Amino acid sequence: MKTSFTLSKLRPKLFIGLFVSISKKLVNRAVIAPVMITAVLITLNACSVDTDNADNQVDATYRSGDAEIDQKVEALLSQMTLAEKVGQLNQYNGSWDVTGPVKSGDEYNEQRLLDLRSGGVGSMLNVVSVAATSEAQRIAVEETRLGIPLLFAYDVIHGFQTMFPIPLGEAASWDLALMEKSAHIAAVEASAAGLHWTFAPMIDIGRDARFGRVMEGAGEDPYFGSKVAVARINGFQGDDLSQPNTIAACAKHFAGYAFAEAGRDYNTVDISNTTLHNVILPPFKAAAEAGVATFMNSFSELDGIPATASGYLQNTLLKGQWDYRGLVVSDWDSIGEMQDHGFSADLSNAASQAINAGNDIDMEATAYIRHLAELVESGAVAESVVDNAVRRVLVLKYRLGLFEDPYRYASVDREQSEIGKAEHLEVARDAARKSVVLLKNDNAILPLSTSGQRIAVIGPLANDKDSPLGNWRARAISNSAISLLEGVTAAVSDSALVSYAQGAELATSGRAFHSEITINTDDTSGFAEAIAIAREADVVVMAIGEDAYQSGEARSQVSVKLSGVQQALFDAVSEVNDQIVVVLMNGRPLAITELDNKATAIVEAWHAGSQAGHGIADVLFGAYNPSGKLPMSFPRHTGQLPLYYSQKNTGRPGPGANDVFWTHYTDAPNTPLYPFGFGLSYTEFDYSEVTLSANSIAVDESLEVSVTLTNTGERDGVEIAQLYIRDLIGSITRPVKELKGFERVALKAGESKKVTFTLGPKTLGFYNTKGEYLVEAGDFEIFVGGNSDASVAATFSATAD
């Protein structure tokens, strides 16, 4: 028996009223003109996990924590009819023109306009622009009985018009301040277009690159993902939601969405309680503690119950144990889709299940607006449950300042001056170059010289001005990104030394958010031109990878190898010139073993946003020393997926001498091609021996881990120092490594700095099968280095006394 203690959180003062978020679901996501609007307490008991959905309700009257706002909400609620209450919980898509007449015979939109005018709509998504949001708001404020303002929401994922690297790419910077800044700029631009609320950040932990939406998250690690989640939430929301340059954020998808079986979007999720609490939930708990305004639930299921109807997730855990004060919004039609799950008999049944489980806002299913009033009248849903959901919605509207001024976000001057401004583009360029991960650099071929080198720029993505914008691109202008060719040409002293050939197309059709993309699998007619210019060049820069619409929602793949004829193009060019620098542009980890065997250098650039070409060129030519590190492991083969560094040891870790009976593949190594946290630099870094403040601590004490980091190369650079631990023996089996700290350290050539990490109860414990957080006495290993392959650096013990 191991001695342990349990940690429970003191109730944090979370943002009051917060608005839950919804997100994506592409169907019909047109944009008309938008609208939408530790302290640690040691205790010996904790709430056990009961995923039985029966009666997981929060019955107490909801209070936001702000007495003044609560008083106003109660005064307004007392005036509302049941129909008006239901309206506040109804969210409509804005792909119909509220600024113009509804066409005769269009019963669908006629009814929606009637609902808007009668107070039957509380929020809208995909209504974008000051003109559109102002007109929709005018209808809500001037034509409804109570004049309750609307919330306008939109998927602002990695920028509004100014695009930053896709979230997975930006996470590769490991620069939390940068992530907060880019989210703030996105909020500035989105709020200037009349928006109040974004369905971001996506904070699902993703470990299967086949799942297309890994591009939207922060990768495979819950500790890292929690830090990134808080940074992005702080960037969107700022210190005061009533400020017109902030927007409400939404933590999604609660919970387990990225664990879809076989990496197939919307597929079944079947996970253990230990995985749920130790891997999936930590970023969401961090988001709740950071005061995120809204949560969005998931399309997936937990223990056979669709997340939208999970009383355990939404009521017991989120609103109960975590004392979350914001609101929960469904994903697009996820209430209606419970019928397809085989969980709900009809839409009325689905509405009852969702509202009773803690889902406050219905996005686009029309389940609440059609059935919730009759469910209350029949007694299937208590009106107090509806009242609590409405309170959460109204609180967010008060927090945003919309009752004080419904048009506070509707400024034509800001819309004209704040969106796409030069200062934002400069940050986008900085984000692009900081997100680059140098995977290989044989013979120090990089950085390239800006003069005297003949450079052949080749590849289907080399002069692509659209794919760098990535998927989930909000209001980005198509083909507005700086291409790699443009970046290279601008960086060299003589553009005549730069030649270009596309070599081959990547996608032949379907390059749109709602379309199925078609990949070129046989047209190699452009190879000859590429081979010709490569033969005359000193170095080839080849841009290959994925089209922007190969990753994202509903973009799951059975293979994560290079698609189409790209590998064949590389092979053909390498026959005449083996000095090839590969620039990967992609939204997920790729299996590029063949490239790794042959390319001289490989640069992971992701879909890097509006300033992609300039940011990548900054790295290629040495204006910026690459500092990015991978937020997800890169597999050798698709068959290794899901793949992540923090695996369990198993009972047969092997290998044994002349023994095949251990956990391994017979046709490939277990290890990734590039591990989590990996990334090279143009300089070298040396880690000293690790020193500990003590060799033994009590389980409720902290330990300092110090190392001296030295830049031993000839260039200034930035290293991401990473701290991992291993709990050697536990009451449940523990991973072989877990990230518990990281720091960006800037060092001039020859400079040394001491880096100190702190380990304590918050980082040494884990959740057991009942969802209780334990810190157990025992022995621990510490690993410090530049990636998750770091070797054991020290050991210490935690004791019960």
Side-chain angles (χ1 to χ4, degrees):
M1 292 285 292
K2 294 189 65 175
T3 304
S4 64
F5 70 95
T6 305
L7 298 181
S8 64
K9 297 292 290 183
L10 289 172
R11 294 191 171 219
K13 293 183 179 178
L14 299 179
F15 260 100
I16 303 194
L18 303 133
F19 211 58
V20 109
S21 124
I22 307 173
S23 179
K24 45 220 93 247
K25 217 66 220 156
L26 343 75
V27 32
N28 224 359
R29 235 166 165 117
V31 344
I32 142 180
V35 129
M36 304 190 47
I37 325 197
T38 83
V40 174
L41 178 66
I42 299 176
T43 176
L44 294 178
N45 48 23
C47 298
S48 64
V49 176
D50 177 12
T51 54
D52 184 342
N53 213 47
D55 298 323
N56 277 322
Q57 293 188 13
V58 176
D59 295 320
T61 299
Y62 163 79
R63 291 291 181 260
S64 71
D66 186 315
E68 182 179 355
I69 287 181
D70 288 339
Q71 186 176 20
K72 293 176 180 178
V73 167
E74 292 307 307
L76 179 55
L77 189 66
S78 68
Q79 303 175 54
M80 298 174 70
T81 66
L82 177 58
E84 288 168 334
K85 292 175 182 177
V86 171
Q88 288 302 299
L89 309 182
N90 179 40
Q91 182 173 97
Y92 277 156
N93 178 41
S95 57
W96 47 285
D97 194 350
V98 296
T99 63
V102 176
K103 294 180 181 179
S104 177
D106 188 352
E107 296 180 1
Y108 176 81
N109 286 334
E110 283 180 348
Q111 182 59 53
R112 290 185 166 221
L113 188 55
L114 286 173
D115 290 340
L116 180 60
R117 286 177 167 150
S118 65
V121 182
S123 57
M124 298 183 73
L125 69 157
N126 294 335
V127 180
V128 185
S129 81
V130 167
T133 55
S134 294
E135 176 55 19
Q137 196 71 290
R138 185 199 64 76
I139 295 172
V141 172
E142 298 181 15
E143 297 187 27
T144 65
R145 186 178 75 91
L146 293 176
I148 300 174
L150 293 167
L151 284 167
F152 298 108
Y154 195 53
D155 285 295
V156 183
I157 307 301
H158 56 108
F160 181 71
Q161 179 175 300
T162 303
M163 285 292 104
F164 297 91
I166 58 170
L168 183 66
E170 189 183 58
S173 71
W174 293 55
D175 189 334
L176 300 177
L178 172 68
M179 296 179 220
E180 182 172 339
K181 182 184 291 186
S182 71
H184 171 66
I185 290 173
V188 168
E189 294 194 358
S191 61
L195 297 171
H196 310 135
W197 181 13
T198 176
F199 299 131
M202 179 177 133
I203 58 177
D204 300 291
I205 298 303
R207 294 176 163 182
D208 193 333
R210 295 172 298 181
F211 182 69
R213 289 189 86 169
V214 295
M215 59 80 63
E216 208 177 328
E220 70 185 56
D221 184 76
Y223 177 88
F224 181 68
S226 298
K227 298 295 185 183
V228 172
V230 171
R232 288 176 170 155
I233 290 164
N234 290 341
F236 285 129
Q237 296 189 170
D239 297 324
D240 182 356
L241 272 180
S242 69
Q243 293 300 309
N245 64 349
T246 65
I247 55 178
C250 181
K252 65 183 186 185
H253 304 84
F254 193 61
Y257 179 48
F259 274 63
E261 290 182 352
R264 195 175 76 237
D265 210 343
Y266 319 123
N267 200 12
T268 300
V269 171
D270 192 3
I271 54 174
S272 68
N273 272 343
T274 55
T275 296
L276 175 68
H277 285 276
N278 289 292
V279 179
I280 292 171
L281 291 180
F284 290 99
K285 192 169 191 294
E289 292 170 354
V292 68
T294 66
F295 264 61
M296 179 185 290
N297 54 40
S298 172
F299 290 119
S300 55
E301 63 179 55
L302 177 67
D303 266 0
I305 297 172
T308 306
S310 174
Y312 170 69
L313 282 175
Q314 296 169 120
N315 278 337
T316 302
L317 189 67
L318 179 63
K319 296 177 179 180
Q321 293 178 25
W322 295 359
D323 194 25
Y324 177 63
R325 307 296 180 88
L327 65 80
V328 177
V329 62
S330 76
D331 209 330
W332 183 292
D333 191 33
S334 67
I335 296 178
E337 290 176 8
M338 293 198 297
Q339 299 169 89
D340 296 301
H341 275 283
F343 187 76
S344 305
D346 52 34
L347 194 60
S348 175
N349 184 209
S352 174
Q353 292 168 320
I355 191 74
N356 281 327
N359 182 100
D360 300 309
I361 293 178
D362 172 7
M363 181 198 286
E364 267 298 308
T366 68
Y368 288 0
I369 193 70
R370 292 186 187 183
H371 299 292
L372 195 49
E374 64 188 36
L375 287 166
V376 171
E377 291 165 355
S378 70
V381 174
E383 189 164 0
S384 61
V385 172
V386 174
D387 287 349
N388 272 344
V390 174
R391 288 182 176 104
R392 290 175 184 268
V393 174
L394 295 178
V395 165
L396 180 59
K397 293 182 179 184
Y398 274 111
R399 285 291 185 186
L400 288 164
L402 295 177
F403 284 100
E404 180 181 347
D405 178 6
Y407 305 100
R408 70 187 304 137
Y409 289 73
S411 167
V412 173
D413 289 343
R414 285 193 63 225
E415 188 174 37
Q416 294 174 345
S417 64
E418 295 286 352
I419 297 177
K421 63 195 297 185
E423 293 93 323
H424 296 174
L425 292 172
E426 281 301 312
V427 178
R429 180 171 181 164
D430 188 46
R433 63 191 185 184
K434 286 181 176 177
S435 300
V436 168
V437 183
L438 181 60
L439 299 177
K440 184 178 182 182
N441 191 24
D442 283 358
N443 304 319
I445 189 175
L446 294 175
L448 302 175
S449 172
T450 58
S451 62
Q453 269 189 319
R454 295 169 299 171
I455 303 171
V457 181
I458 295 171
L461 297 172
N463 198 29
D464 188 337
K465 294 175 63 63
D466 195 67
S467 279
L469 298 173
N471 206 334
W472 286 116
R473 58 180 60 185
R475 303 295 283 172
I477 299 168
S478 297
N479 296 299
S480 64
I482 301 299
S483 72
L484 177 63
L485 178 62
E486 290 172 322
V488 169
T489 302
V492 299
S493 59
D494 183 0
S495 60
L497 293 175
V498 178
S499 56
Y500 163 71
Q502 183 184 32
E505 286 189 328
L506 177 50
T508 58
S509 64
R511 291 201 70 262
F513 187 67
H514 294 91
S515 301
E516 199 81 50
I517 197 166
T518 301
I519 300 297
N520 168 32
T521 59
D522 54 15
D523 183 1
T524 60
S525 59
F527 280 23
E529 182 184 7
I531 291 169
I533 68 167
R535 183 178 281 113
E536 302 301 320
D538 297 313
V539 63
V540 173
V541 175
M542 182 174 289
I544 52 182
E546 291 186 312
D547 184 276
Y549 294 106
Q550 281 182 264
S551 61
E553 185 168 358
R555 268 73 176 188
S556 298
Q557 297 180 178
V558 297
S559 172
V560 296
K561 294 180 67 174
L562 285 173
S563 57
V565 298
Q566 293 182 101
Q567 185 65 52
L569 174 63
F570 175 89
D571 291 341
V573 170
S574 67
E575 289 293 321
V576 299
N577 191 330
D578 61 2
Q579 298 300 293
I580 301 179
V581 175
V582 171
V583 176
L584 291 174
M585 299 181 185
N586 43 292
R588 53 160 60 88
L590 299 177
I592 53 168
T593 301
E594 292 180 70
L595 280 184
D596 183 70
N597 289 336
K598 297 179 181 179
T600 307
I602 302 176
V603 170
E604 173 55 81
W606 317 100
H607 294 135
S610 297
Q611 292 289 298
H614 288 323
I616 298 167
D618 286 342
V619 172
L620 293 181
F621 291 95
Y624 184 82
N625 191 348
S627 58
K629 302 280 189 174
L630 293 178
M632 284 187 76
S633 304
F634 271 47
R636 298 175 186 274
H637 305 279
T638 304
Q640 291 178 288
L641 299 174
L643 181 66
Y644 49 97
Y645 80 92
S646 56
Q647 298 192 4
K648 300 291 186 70
N649 203 44
T650 80
R652 293 189 174 185
N658 303 314
D659 182 6
V660 299
F661 300 104
W662 59 285
T663 179
H664 72 296
Y665 301 103
T666 59
D667 56 352
N670 290 351
T671 56
L673 182 62
Y674 307 114
F676 173 85
F678 177 80
L680 302 174
S681 171
Y682 295 153
T683 189
E684 299 290 334
F685 298 100
D686 178 70
Y687 288 79
S688 71
E689 291 188 4
V690 167
T691 59
L692 306 181
S693 59
N695 293 321
S696 179
I697 59 171
V699 290
D700 59 347
E701 294 179 336
S702 295
L703 173 79
E704 288 191 347
V705 181
S706 298
V707 64
T708 298
L709 185 61
T710 302
N711 181 346
T712 59
E714 298 179 355
R715 291 176 175 268
D716 299 349
V718 173
E719 170 70 329
I720 315 296
Q722 302 160 44
L723 169 72
Y724 299 84
I725 68 167
R726 181 180 182 185
D727 185 354
L728 291 172
I729 305 294
S731 56
I732 61 172
T733 57
R734 308 298 305 127
V736 294
K737 280 179 187 171
E738 296 177 278
L739 180 71
K740 295 300 180 181
F742 63 91
E743 185 173 335
R744 285 179 57 88
V745 185
L747 293 170
K748 296 184 180 300
E751 183 182 9
S752 297
K753 286 184 180 178
K754 183 179 180 180
V755 181
T756 299
F757 302 98
T758 300
L759 292 171
K762 287 186 178 181
T763 49
L764 295 178
F766 60 88
Y767 291 91
N768 65 14
T769 57
K770 295 181 180 181
E772 299 166 332
Y773 187 79
L774 308 175
V775 179
E776 296 184 336
D779 296 328
F780 293 81
E781 293 178 339
I782 292 175
F783 312 78
V784 179
N787 63 71
S788 58
D789 269 353
S791 300
V792 178
T795 60
F796 73 96
S797 298
T799 64
D801 298 320

